[in-house]
Amino acid sequence: MGNALTFLYGKCCKPTTDDESLGPHGVSAATVGVSALAHDLFNFEITSQVPEGLGRYVGSSRKAQAKWYRKILEAWKQAKPPPQTAEEASRLVMEILKRHEKADVEGLLSFYGLPLPHTLVEFSTEAPVSLPEGVLFEFQTLPVDPKAVADGDTITVYVSSSDPIVSSSIPREVNVAVVQRAKAREKKDYTKADELHQKIIDSGYRVLNIQNEEVLARNRGIDAPESQMPFGKEAQKELLKIVQWKSLKVLVYGEDQYGRCVGDIYCNGIFVQEAMLKKGLAWHYVAYDKRMVLAKARSWEKEARQKRIGLWASSNPEKPWDWRKNRRV
């Protein structure tokens, strides 16, 4: 992959709402544990029975387990909104059972495949109120299609062409062709309209009902494992979990050698680079990002190393830039 959050203006396809990552009733791999816990809490409210098999994960009696579920059920019902993500569900369980045996708490979380306490992270960097030094401009994206998250540091996002920043980057000939195509369609001259549409496509754009422009985005200052590398798929899934169906705030710092914009991504107040580093699913790419704002990145990476989470579960994980170099030889 690379070291930067980059934006490559290119061909556009309409964001899809047919998310193959979602199973029946909108349950995804990332939320199946939350759904299973919610289902068991609902069942417990009716039957007062804890799920079969839980005893293989915890040492306490079924009577004690029933007390847990009663407390968790009450907290779940009072939560506004109730937990939506695996992390939120884990934090709720941990808070309610904080006075109980650590082994039982971790056993309950493991039963549902929810994150264990040592894997949870706190985020400290919020989106800046004013533009940091060096930022050229910022823009908001449309909600991210899950299919557009290629790996742990690459996202394809969509931005509205009505945005002045975006529209100013569209070549004049493309804008002219769009206007001429619209007039041709009004006159029902579909042959001419199709010719103009092909001209637009050949220029790297497409006309959509929700006029968009496609952008290839990558996280500045970090480098995640390649898809074929150990933890490559885990990095992709984590990034997907953070950004899917959410609008992103993007701060653009400049262009790289290929003419692509480079910048930072924020999602619902979360600094995406911080999240990936703290979860042990990316390296701080020091060689290409020496900004003071990412001076904390070393401590974020160190935190994951000390917890031995993500790729740091390995004693000596191969760096993606070394992996790429070895395959170019």
Side-chain angles (χ1 to χ4, degrees), residues 213-232:
E213 182 178 358
E214 186 179 69
V215 177
L216 183 61
R218 298 186 61 191
N219 293 316
R220 173 178 181 160
I222 67 171
D223 201 356
E226 299 288 343
S227 299
Q228 304 92 330
M229 294 177 63
F231 288 94

Side-chain angles (χ1 to χ4, degrees), residues 216-271:
L216 183 61
R218 298 186 61 191
N219 293 316
R220 173 178 181 160
I222 67 171
D223 201 356
E226 299 288 343
S227 299
Q228 304 92 330
M229 294 177 63
F231 288 94
K233 295 188 183 300
E234 288 83 350
Q236 187 268 345
K237 289 179 180 178
E238 181 61 35
L239 184 57
L240 173 64
K241 187 167 62 175
I242 295 172
V243 305
Q244 66 176 340
W245 300 128
K246 297 183 179 73
S247 296
L248 309 178
K249 179 178 182 178
V250 181
L251 305 183
V252 178
Y253 283 81
E255 293 185 349
D256 64 9
Q257 59 182 326
Y258 303 106
R260 300 176 300 189
C261 296
V262 295
D264 293 336
I265 292 180
Y266 292 85
C267 178
N268 285 0
I270 294 175
F271 185 23

